[in-house]
Amino acid sequence: MKMSANRRLRVENLQALMAQKDLSALVCRLPENVVYLTDYWPHHGISVAVLPREGKPILFVPEVEQEYTQSEWAEVVPFGWGLLKDKELYENYRLLIDSVVASWNLKGKKVGAELSFEVVAPSYRIAEPVVPSGPWNTLLGEIFAESHLVDATPVLHEVRAIKTGYEIEKLRIANSIAEKAIQSTLKELKPGITETQIGALIEYKIRSEGPGFQGAKLVRAEAEVGAGPVGSTKGTLLVPSTTYRVQERDLVMIELATMVDGYFSDLTYMAVVGEPSPRQKEVHNALLEAQQAAARELYPGNSFEAPDRAAREVLKRAGLDTYFVHITGHGVGMRYHEPIPLLAPGAKGVLQEGMVCSVEPGIYIPGFGGLRIEDNVLVGANGPIFLSTPRQPW
């Protein structure tokens, strides 16, 4: 996908915010922020993107990953890493960033870095996430000893909360890949299949059929499944799938994170093995009504807490509100759970056009089971726009 005005807009928005905060440059190493600046999802998690207040970012990337980068998005500077011929990683970092400090005349200037991210998105190599910590922070402190190094975490969260058209299309693709896999797997639900097998089928379909779909390249997934009157109630938190074998009329909850080139989908689907009982239909449809009521509140100028309040009012009328024990939603984008917006009781903030969030009320009834319905929804100019497919009543 070629660079467009949408891409320029998101970086220009960040640069405008940098100007307000008097930041001359921004140094990013976390994969989610490298994606934001360069549209490149790091493989090993050691790439660095540096953004000036004006102009294109510079992307320092291992030679082995260079073919996945796009020069339209950043000035790409490869470096050797991991082989006997190559310099030590931190020696490379010092040389590369020192060159930026000199060429951009950053001495005495204010420079931002990711100093307080605690929840982070993985690189493509999710088996071994690389998280910058003490050595990296020490290096930055030494390199920018004659500058003013500040925490840019709030700036990054603020600007990332508003998605451009380019990002929205990427999130649609991630949701489409996720839904194709879920719908295909639901056809294979039958008594005797285990929670882990259901999750593995979904992940297999995403990994095997996702790459190449509408330009997707790097695709990952994590599916956790809870089934039956006990397993599905554990969905209040993200817990691992088990070897429990589903039985006829079991509720099956599928919580799915899908990562496509560094953009995330966060969905929860409900199913029943066989035909749902009248009570299962009643509870599911009341929950769906609550979810749709919450989604209708996603319009510019409304409060963060309004969608949550709308969902609880519906469930209260249905006598189910005491079983709704978590928040209604959170931001989604370059991470599975972004902090803005937060759809929760008492949450402070105002919804803005371009925000994308999960809408996921859930109810968890001891001895009966748990249900959660989760879609990813955009705050459009005139109200909610679903980036995933709205569910239907049972």
Side-chain angles (χ1 to χ4, degrees):
M1 188 175 293
K2 292 186 177 180
M3 184 180 70
S4 67
N6 275 323
R7 176 264 161 192
R8 288 192 293 272
L9 177 61
R10 89 181 184 195
V11 173
E12 287 170 2
N13 287 343
L14 176 53
Q15 289 173 323
L17 194 53
M18 289 168 63
Q20 292 178 26
K21 305 293 184 181
D22 193 32
L23 289 175
S24 295
L26 188 61
V27 182
C28 293
R29 188 176 152 196
L30 292 175
E32 60 200 87
N33 293 322
V34 173
V35 172
Y36 193 80
L37 297 181
T38 69
D39 211 48
Y40 154 72
W41 192 20
H43 302 185
H44 296 88
I46 62 172
S47 301
V48 179
V50 188
L51 177 69
R53 190 183 296 181
E54 297 179 357
K56 290 173 65 173
I58 293 177
L59 172 62
F60 300 120
V61 63
E63 291 171 342
V64 70
E65 300 179 34
Q66 185 178 3
E67 65 181 281
Y68 291 86
T69 65
Q70 302 178 68
S71 59
E72 308 101 297
W73 289 78
E75 178 186 341
V76 179
V77 179
F79 62 88
W81 170 74
L83 302 179
L84 293 177
K85 69 175 182 63
D86 299 323
K87 292 185 176 69
E88 190 272 333
L89 176 61
Y90 274 76
E91 183 181 354
N92 270 325
Y93 281 154
R94 188 179 293 275
L95 290 171
L96 295 168
I97 300 175
D98 274 344
S99 69
V100 171
V101 172
S103 62
W104 292 358
N105 190 27
L106 293 178
K107 288 186 178 181
K109 306 290 180 62
K110 187 186 288 187
V111 177
E114 315 144 311
L115 301 181
S116 61
F117 275 73
E118 289 196 337
V119 179
V120 299
S123 61
Y124 176 73
R125 292 186 68 218
I126 60 176
E128 191 175 33
V130 176
V131 181
S133 58
W136 173 250
N137 293 334
T138 298
L139 178 68
L140 291 182
E142 293 171 354
I143 290 174
F144 294 105
E146 297 182 51
S147 304
H148 183 199
L149 190 66
V150 300
D151 185 13
T153 300
V155 170
L156 287 161
H157 282 155
E158 179 180 344
V159 74
R160 280 173 43 180
I162 309 298
K163 273 61 175 180
T164 64
Y166 183 89
E167 294 161 82
I168 292 164
E169 183 56 31
K170 287 282 195 175
L171 296 177
R172 285 187 189 276
I173 293 170
N175 276 288
S176 294
I177 290 171
E179 290 185 317
K180 282 165 56 73
I182 290 174
Q183 294 295 350
S184 176
T185 301
L186 289 180
K187 296 175 183 176
E188 302 184 41
L189 279 188
K190 57 186 178 182
I193 192 171
T194 67
E195 294 174 354
T196 51
Q197 287 170 338
I198 296 168
L201 281 172
I202 293 171
E203 292 181 13
Y204 163 74
K205 293 177 186 300
I206 289 173
R207 290 295 308 279
S208 62
E209 300 175 15
F213 179 82
Q214 296 186 11
K217 294 179 181 178
L218 303 176
V219 182
R220 291 285 194 183
E222 180 184 0
E224 300 298 351
V225 179
V230 175
S232 60
T233 60
K234 294 179 181 178
T236 52
L237 296 172
L238 304 182
V239 297
S241 307
T242 73
T243 55
Y244 172 78
R245 296 186 181 277
V246 303
Q247 303 175 32
E248 191 75 20
R249 283 199 168 176
D250 267 355
L251 289 167
V252 179
M253 180 186 296
I254 300 168
E255 165 69 31
L256 176 62
T258 306
M259 298 149 267
V260 179
D261 297 319
Y263 297 81
F264 280 68
S265 163
D266 180 8
L267 300 176
T268 307
Y269 263 68
M270 292 304 308
V272 172
V273 182
E275 287 297 316
S277 69
R279 178 58 174 165
Q280 287 173 334
K281 289 182 179 180
E282 178 186 13
V283 174
H284 174 274
N285 294 344
L287 180 62
L288 178 59
E289 183 184 350
Q291 194 231 18
Q292 293 172 340
R296 286 194 294 271
E297 297 296 318
L298 294 177
Y299 56 82
N302 206 4
S303 70
F304 283 2
E305 66 177 344
D308 182 271
R309 183 170 55 246
R312 293 182 195 280
E313 288 173 352
V314 171
L315 293 176
K316 185 175 182 178
R317 292 196 298 269
L320 297 168
D321 55 311
T322 58
Y323 303 114
F324 181 16
V325 295
H326 54 65
I327 67 172
T328 294
H330 55 80
V332 182
M334 273 74 174
R335 202 163 80 208
Y336 193 22
H337 298 81
E338 292 193 340
I340 305 174
L342 180 68
L343 311 183
K348 305 299 181 185
V350 175
L351 294 167
Q352 299 179 53
E353 181 181 354
M355 288 182 172
V356 175
C357 58
S358 68
V359 182
E360 50 176 311
I363 47 182
Y364 310 88
I365 305 173
F368 174 80
L371 297 94
R372 182 168 65 250
I373 300 172
E374 179 180 16
D375 286 296
N376 298 164
V377 186
L378 165 69
V379 180
N382 300 308
I385 300 173
F386 278 70
L387 303 183
S388 50
T389 305
R391 313 307 160 76
Q392 298 299 315
W394 284 353

